[in-house]
Amino acid sequence: MAKISQNVIEEIKSKISIVELVSRYLTLNKKGDRYWGLCPFHDEKTPSFSVLADKGFFHCFGCGKSGSLFDFFMEMEHVNFPESIKILGESVGIQIAEESESEKKIRSEKETLLDLYNKLAASFTYILTNSDFSKGANEYLNHRDISKESIDKFQLGYAPNDPDWLYSFLHAKKYSDELLRKSGLFSKNNDFYPLFRDRLMFPIKNWRGEVVAFGGRDLSDTSKAKYINTPETLLYRKREIVYGLYESLVDVKKEASVILCEGYFDVIAMHQGGLTTAVAPLGTAFTEDQGKLIRRYATTITTLFDGDAAGREATKKALVVCERLGITNRVISLEGAKDPSELLEKEGEKALLKACSDTKSGFDYLVHSYLSLYDSTKATGKLQIFNELVPFLDAVDSQIVQQTYLRELSRYLQIDESTLIHEMRNKGAKRPAFQREAANTFSSQGQQGTNYSQDLYTLLVLVNNRSLFYSARNRLKISDLIDSEAITIYTLLEDAIREGTIDSDELILQGIENPSLRNKVSMSFQSKEFSKNPQKVIDELLKRISIRTLEKSQKNLEKLIAVASKNGTISLDISDLLYEKKAIDEKIAMLRLAYHHK
Ligand SMILES: [Zn+2]
């Protein structure tokens, strides 16, 4: 689809009001300048979900969700931004930019491929459940205690051993050779030799339930690869798909959590054991894209990977991804079995259920697994444990949480907290979260009494008065900012200027990946606070930030001067330093003066 233009957004907004759209899903009542209703995103008995009609935004004072009419539609219909534009646009007769010829060709190939995969999945299932070739496959499933219900739920199938079957089957269905070559179903080196032969087939579905790829488990015991997957195709990017998410979606939404397992059989075993929120990344690594997909429906991810070294490493990586995306993370460690499917086989569903009820926080899991791996009484052991934890600690974005972790860790390792902070900085980690936050916080006058750092407050004023950003960016460098959320908004505004999207609230919001920051910005769009006297407020804020930056240089210079005068060395030229310091002192004094005269 062509790039989404501001005009299209404005046109849609002019034809569908947010009140009208939201009213399709819930009942709204007008009170004051807002419309109110029961929030569709969290459970409540009294309305805290509100719509500000003239601004075109919603905000829930209960769960904090906030956004434009597009965000609302995306959330309710589980579509992405371009899809929401397309569906809403078409519903009011707005022609969304014409596809180019090559776009059209790709779309049609995609659609044909999708159709092929879904028909083929049904054929594999038919062969598994109705043919004579699949005796071995059924015996195998029996042996692994996979029930009939599971076979149905996950639409398992069987790919026959016959190397000619697949091509003649699809050829007879009139799929072109050109398409079959791109289908990912045949060997790379041998055009129409099937990738999957004598394999138990797992259809891989996207969250809408469409089959986009296959995984196959070898049943012949002759293949070197126990499991193989379809390579990436027009339909399938493995880093973006989560196995089992479609099959789990109803319960995932209900519980707002998922259990992340390693493989196909683990997911199936878990579901069979009653743990119906189990899903798996495809391949070993859990990616950020997969995390973002899950985050649409869940706030917690509990990891359940194998207990070996590879499993531990995969767990650690998954926890870092969760932490980076602000997803609550927990870990289940199985005792007495390698993985859930083995536990199910050996001890049955009750044992599996019981094992999964015992979870640890991601941090606790990591600390304890490294404490048992390394000798924490020795200096090298302490350092190893700390090094293993750095990526996780570095991903933590909340100052309170990070400080709590470091304090806890300092107790386990018998090392000063300040030493750990220092060590983290030496590792090139970004600054500890609690130092990243600006020293001054602002209490918003808004409805929620939210506290913003000085930096974030400044950027919120700028994002609400974007014409001021053009001059502000000459006075405010990105390196002057220390709050990571403020840095995100600053970068976003720079990008928006480059891409010509600076005037659209909706496009600005879509550029923010972090949901909590997106909520804050959306909330600010609805608050009058950020539009009061913006020029004056910005002048003052920029002055304060300049003073802060200058004071930092002042301190550094003072340190250098102290060192230089103590050593009496010539390597540092004191007079230069003193001169530089004097200039900074004067600048600060001037800014302060101007500030007090306001
Ligand atoms: Zn809510």
Side-chain angles (χ1 to χ4, degrees):
M1 178 166 167
K3 224 173 94 187
I4 295 157
S5 77
Q6 233 161 270
N7 291 346
V8 170
I9 291 178
E10 289 310 315
E11 217 181 324
I12 294 175
K13 273 165 62 191
S14 73
K15 299 211 172 153
I16 311 172
S17 78
I18 186 164
V19 174
E20 189 188 332
L21 180 77
V22 171
S23 301
R24 292 182 200 166
Y25 300 88
L26 47 126
T27 312
L28 290 177
N29 290 305
K30 185 143 198 232
K31 226 186 297 155
D33 55 352
R34 285 174 180 269
Y35 290 82
W36 297 86
L38 291 172
C39 178
F41 307 121
H42 84 278
D43 263 334
E44 63 175 6
K45 298 214 168 60
T46 48
S48 48
F49 179 90
S50 73
V51 175
L52 203 56
D54 54 340
K55 299 249 179 175
F57 285 92
F58 71 89
H59 183 80
C60 174
F61 291 88
C63 64
K65 229 179 201 114
S66 198
S68 71
L69 86 133
F70 300 101
D71 294 297
F72 184 81
F73 189 72
M74 283 155 67
E75 219 30 81
M76 298 307 289
E77 296 297 330
H78 304 303
V79 294
N80 61 28
F81 185 52
E83 286 166 340
S84 76
I85 296 282
K86 186 164 188 290
I87 300 170
L88 288 173
E90 281 170 3
S91 77
V92 290
I94 294 168
Q95 196 67 35
I96 312 295
E98 273 298 313
E99 283 179 304
S100 68
E101 276 311 307
S102 67
E103 279 173 337
K104 218 178 268 174
K105 181 162 186 263
I106 290 175
R107 187 172 52 83
S108 120
E109 270 179 1
K110 254 185 169 168
E111 281 166 8
T112 316
L113 213 51
L114 196 61
D115 179 63
L116 186 162
Y117 266 86
N118 285 277
K119 282 190 178 136
L120 189 57
S123 303
F124 284 147
T125 304
Y126 181 83
I127 295 170
L128 178 73
T129 47
N130 292 290
S131 80
D132 301 335
F133 317 121
S134 59
K135 197 159 156 265
N138 281 302
E139 273 165 11
Y140 179 77
L141 286 169
N142 246 336
H143 160 76
R144 297 206 64 163
D145 275 328
I146 302 299
S147 68
K148 175 82 182 68
E149 290 72 33
S150 295
I151 294 175
D152 289 344
K153 184 173 187 181
F154 290 91
Q155 218 190 331
L156 302 188
Y158 176 67
N161 198 11
D162 178 1
D164 300 323
W165 176 80
L166 186 62
Y167 179 73
S168 35
F169 176 72
L170 295 175
H171 186 70
K173 293 204 179 300
K174 307 279 185 252
Y175 291 107
S176 73
D177 285 1
E178 192 202 344
L179 185 86
L180 292 184
R181 275 196 198 93
K182 290 182 189 164
S183 69
L185 293 167
F186 294 95
S187 155
K188 257 210 171 98
N189 312 314
N190 190 345
D191 257 4
F192 296 121
Y193 193 82
L195 196 61
F196 301 100
R197 281 179 43 236
D198 196 13
R199 283 185 185 261
L200 183 67
M201 298 300 285
F202 302 85
I204 297 167
K205 298 178 180 180
N206 61 19
W207 60 269
R208 288 193 209 94
E210 296 158 339
V211 179
V212 293
F214 289 106
R217 173 48 164 104
D218 177 50
L219 296 174
S220 68
D221 274 336
T222 59
S223 169
K224 264 181 257 154
K226 211 154 60 159
Y227 286 93
I228 50 174
N229 289 328
T230 321
E232 307 227 321
T233 62
L234 279 176
L235 290 183
Y236 174 54
R237 252 176 284 284
K238 84 173 176 198
R239 55 180 307 110
E240 292 171 0
I241 305 270
V242 175
Y243 181 73
L245 184 60
Y246 169 72
E247 289 83 352
S248 309
L249 203 55
V250 174
D251 291 332
V252 168
K253 283 190 207 160
K254 222 183 286 164
E255 295 176 24
S257 69
V258 305
I259 303 176
L260 194 65
C261 312
E262 246 184 70
Y264 306 119
F265 270 119
D266 297 324
V267 171
I268 296 173
M270 296 283 281
H271 278 249
Q272 206 168 303
L275 295 148
T276 49
T277 59
V279 300
L282 292 145
T284 41
F286 178 59
T287 67
E288 253 184 71
D289 287 330
Q290 289 168 332
K292 282 180 199 159
L293 176 61
I294 291 175
R295 196 177 59 184
R296 275 155 62 171
Y297 314 106
T299 51
T300 304
I301 292 182
T302 306
T303 311
L304 168 50
F305 287 165
D306 290 1
D308 56 7
R312 195 170 48 234
E313 200 48 35
T315 304
K316 176 176 151 187
K317 288 202 177 117
L319 295 176
V320 170
V321 169
C322 289
E323 209 47 70
R324 212 178 282 145
L325 295 175
I327 300 170
T328 307
N329 47 80
R330 303 195 66 79
V331 178
I332 301 168
S333 322
L334 287 187
E335 307 287 334
K338 180 169 88 14
D339 55 38
S341 106
E342 190 185 280
L343 189 64
L344 179 74
E345 252 171 74
K346 273 184 165 169
E347 299 181 40
E349 292 167 12
K350 272 208 183 110
L352 182 62
L353 209 57
K354 184 164 172 290
C356 292
S357 63
D358 186 19
T359 69
K360 271 196 190 86
S361 78
F363 177 74
D364 277 349
Y365 163 84
L366 287 176
V367 169
H368 286 105
S369 64
Y370 293 123
L371 278 173
S372 64
L373 204 62
Y374 301 109
D375 182 357
S376 65
T377 62
K378 296 212 170 69
T380 47
K382 290 179 206 272
L383 189 61
Q384 277 164 316
I385 294 170
F386 179 70
N387 284 346
E388 295 276 15
L389 283 164
V390 165
F392 180 83
L393 292 168
D394 196 30
V396 176
D397 212 39
S398 146
Q399 55 164 325
I400 300 165
V401 177
Q402 198 186 47
Q403 202 161 15
T404 313
Y405 287 165
L406 281 170
R407 188 165 304 143
E408 224 169 295
L409 187 61
S410 79
R411 259 205 322 271
Y412 283 119
L413 299 182
Q414 301 282 309
I415 284 182
D416 245 29
E417 206 180 315
S418 58
T419 312
L420 293 181
I421 295 167
H422 185 73
E423 194 67 24
M424 236 174 109
R425 220 183 290 171
N426 284 349
K427 296 255 167 297
K430 63 186 187 207
R431 262 172 307 160
F434 50 87
Q435 296 192 358
R436 248 178 275 148
E437 306 246 338
N440 295 329
T441 55
F442 278 75
S443 193
S444 155
Q445 315 297 309
Q447 295 88 334
Q448 291 193 311
T450 326
N451 271 342
Y452 298 114
S453 74
Q454 171 172 284
D455 289 7
L456 183 57
Y457 195 90
T458 306
L459 267 297
L460 285 175
V461 175
L462 287 172
V463 86
N464 276 276
N465 304 277
R466 294 195 284 274
S467 59
L468 298 181
F469 184 65
Y470 293 98
S471 65
R473 66 209 271 256
N474 298 327
R475 297 159 62 195
L476 178 69
K477 289 192 299 292
I478 198 157
S479 56
D480 292 332
L481 296 170
I482 49 183
D483 180 309
S484 63
E485 291 187 322
I487 292 173
T488 303
I489 302 179
Y490 191 105
T491 319
L492 193 77
L493 289 173
E494 288 286 345
D495 289 347
I497 290 180
R498 245 195 326 277
E499 288 168 16
T501 52
I502 187 95
D503 293 329
S504 166
D505 287 351
E506 285 78 11
L507 288 175
I508 293 282
L509 272 190
Q510 290 315 312
I512 306 174
E513 295 220 330
N514 175 333
S516 114
L517 180 59
R518 194 189 311 135
N519 287 339
K520 281 179 204 164
V521 172
S522 164
M523 168 78 178
S524 78
F525 287 160
Q526 301 169 54
S527 152
K528 292 190 187 84
E529 180 186 353
F530 296 97
S531 336
K532 267 185 273 167
N533 262 333
Q535 184 69 64
K536 188 167 163 248
V537 172
I538 277 299
D539 282 344
E540 198 167 309
L541 284 164
L542 293 189
K543 230 167 270 161
R544 288 198 213 177
I545 293 175
S546 298
I547 292 178
R548 187 182 68 197
T549 307
L550 287 167
E551 278 173 346
K552 227 191 287 167
S553 326
Q554 194 183 36
K555 279 217 181 75
N556 279 336
L557 280 168
E558 276 163 9
K559 261 186 223 154
L560 285 174
I561 292 166
V563 171
S565 41
K566 198 170 15 179
N567 294 350
T569 52
I570 323 290
S571 62
L572 290 165
D573 190 349
I574 291 192
S575 62
D576 271 1
L577 291 173
L578 287 171
Y579 184 77
E580 211 179 311
K581 184 175 175 297
K582 188 163 167 271
I584 288 182
D585 291 348
E586 276 167 9
K587 262 194 214 161
I588 293 176
M590 251 167 63
L591 281 167
R592 286 236 169 85
L593 197 66
Y595 174 57
H596 287 302
H597 279 276
K598 277 269 159 191

